[in-house]
Amino acid sequence: MVKHNHAIPNVHLKKHWGPLVKTFFNQPAKKKQRQVAREEKAARIFPRPINYLRPIIRCPTQRYNMKTRYGRGFTLDEIKNAGLNPQYARSIGIAVDHRRQDMCLETRELNVKRLKSYLAKLILFPGKTTRKLALKQQKAEPMTDAKKEDKKPRKMIVPEAPKEKLELPAAKEQSDEKKVLPVQEPKLREKPQTITAEMKGTKSFQKIRIERTKQRYAGVRKKRAEIAQKEAEEKATKDTSQQTIQYNSQFTYH
C-alpha cells in the first residue's frame, strides 16, 4: 500500500526491446555463402572474367578530386572513341553507363586508352552462332562457288581468336581479379632530405600571404595602372598641343 503524499508509481519497465535488437551471428555463414556463390558463378561463366571492366574516374567535390576510384561504367563517348558500340561492349565484359558524363579530357583519354589495352589483351572465343554454323557446314553438302559468294561473314568489331590462340595456356585461365586491369594509384610522397640554410631562411607563411594579396588585388591594380597610363598619355598630348600653340603665336603678323 502506498503511504504518504508521494507520486503515484507509474514505472514503464515493459519496453519490449527484444524484437528491436539486431544480431549478426550468421556473419561467418554468410561469408561462406558469398564465397560459394562466387565460385559457382566463375564455373558457370568460364572462361570469361568474373567481373566487368570498369573506368577510372575522379572522386567528386573539390575535397576529394585528387583521388581516383573505379566508376560504374564507361560513357557512350568513351565507348565510341574506342571503336565500339554499347551493346557489343556489354557482350565482351565492358561495363557501360549511359547516364555518366565526363567533361575532363584527361580522364576521357585515360579511359579510352584503358579500353584499347583491354581489347588488345582480349581473347574472344567463338560464339554460339559461329559454332552452330560450323557444325551445319560439316553436316551439309559441300558448298559451290556461287553459294560461297552469296554467303556473307558475320560482322565482328573484335575478331574471334584463331584455333592456335585458343590452345594457349592464357586462354584456359580465368581472371579472378576483383578488378579487371587493376590500377595502383601513385604514392605522392617526398623523400627525406637535409634542411639547408636557404630552407631555414625562407618565410613560407609570409610568402603565401604576399602572393595571396597580389592575386586578390590584381584586378584593381591593373585598372589603376591603365587609368594612370591613360592620364599620362592625355597629359602628354595636351602639353604638345600647348607647345604648338605657343610656337605659332611667335610667328603671327600684326
Side-chain angles (χ1 to χ4, degrees), residues 54-60 64-75 78 97 100-104 106-108 110-111 114 183 185:
R54 306 282 178 183
I56 302 295
I57 62 170
R58 292 276 171 185
C59 297
Y64 301 105
N65 63 2
M66 75 290 297
K67 295 181 179 180
T68 57
R69 65 176 178 86
Y70 295 97
R72 184 184 180 87
F74 291 90
T75 60
E78 290 166 355
D97 187 6
R100 185 176 145 251
Q101 293 182 353
D102 196 356
M103 302 298 175
C104 180
E106 184 182 350
T107 313
R108 196 183 307 165
L110 176 68
N111 286 324
R114 184 172 168 79
V183 176
E185 192 173 352

